[in-house]
Amino acid sequence: MMTAKPQLTFKEALAEARGKLTQFNGRSRRSEFWWCALVVFIANYVLNIIPIFGSLAALVLNLLMIPLIFRRLHDSGHSGWWCGASMIVGGIYSAILMGSLFKEFIGIADGSEPDLSQILSSLTEVFTNPLALIFGLASFVLSIILLVFLLQDSKVEFNKYGESPKYVE
């Protein structure tokens, strides 16, 4: 009969994650993931106050969360590439929006006086771009799927990603 270990404490979760910072294989428990996600969320909030260094530090923290997300997905029995798909689709969506916005507002940079109605019209065109709508919707759906997977409990049994870190005999 399998029994569940107690939930990891804040300190245990951070120690567990620190030992596997760049490890994509294996499994990570919910408590490990969510305690680390809370720390990264708070750190990002604080780091956004510091201009350039803060943005770079926040980027590094967010990149360090990717292996943890992969391991958390493995623990719930899903491929880590759900995270990869979400990142790729989200990146394409961001590139489409930024490219469209850059193209629309390039005239403002040449020193001409911006017209509010022209800006609103340009924004409407950008956000009604069919490609942007498709990738935006796909990004939203993948984000919801990813969140549901991250919230799921550990699979009790051994899976192709290894032994359960939560359940023991």
Side-chain angles (χ1 to χ4, degrees):
M1 179 165 156
M2 300 295 260
T3 57
K5 293 180 186 176
Q7 180 177 328
L8 294 175
T9 65
F10 176 75
K11 198 173 183 181
E12 292 169 335
L14 293 182
E16 188 79 22
R18 187 180 62 233
K20 304 182 278 189
L21 280 177
T22 59
Q23 181 181 334
F24 283 84
N25 59 344
R27 297 168 66 168
S28 288
R29 296 175 61 180
R30 269 189 304 194
S31 51
E32 177 186 346
F33 174 78
W34 289 109
W35 279 122
C36 292
L38 177 65
V39 168
V40 169
F41 176 79
I42 292 169
N44 281 336
Y45 186 78
V46 171
L47 288 169
N48 278 326
I49 297 168
I50 307 167
I52 295 172
F53 173 76
S55 297
L56 291 174
L59 176 64
V60 169
L61 281 176
N62 288 327
L63 289 175
L64 288 174
M65 282 296 291
I66 295 171
L68 183 57
I69 293 170
F70 269 62
R71 291 193 314 272
R72 177 69 208 119
L73 288 168
H74 291 168
D75 190 45
S76 62
H78 301 94
S79 171
W81 286 107
W82 280 99
C83 173
S86 179
M87 289 172 49
I88 291 167
V89 171
I92 292 170
Y93 175 61
S94 296
I96 291 169
L97 285 184
M98 290 305 195
S100 297
L101 287 173
F102 180 76
K103 203 167 38 174
E104 294 297 329
F105 294 111
I106 195 74
I108 295 173
D110 66 9
S112 62
E113 187 67 32
D115 178 24
L116 184 59
S117 63
Q118 182 184 4
I119 291 173
L120 291 175
S121 172
S122 297
L123 280 174
T124 303
E125 287 177 30
V126 168
F127 289 106
T128 56
N129 176 344
L131 206 51
L133 289 173
I134 290 168
F135 278 97
L137 180 62
S139 179
F140 178 73
V141 169
L142 280 171
S143 296
I144 297 297
I145 291 170
L146 194 58
L147 178 62
V148 169
F149 288 168
L150 292 171
L151 288 169
Q152 289 178 339
D153 193 13
S154 299
K155 294 293 181 196
V156 176
E157 67 278 351
F158 176 89
N159 66 20
K160 64 183 177 181
Y161 307 106
E163 291 287 333
S164 174
K166 180 178 179 180
Y167 295 99
V168 292
E169 287 191 68

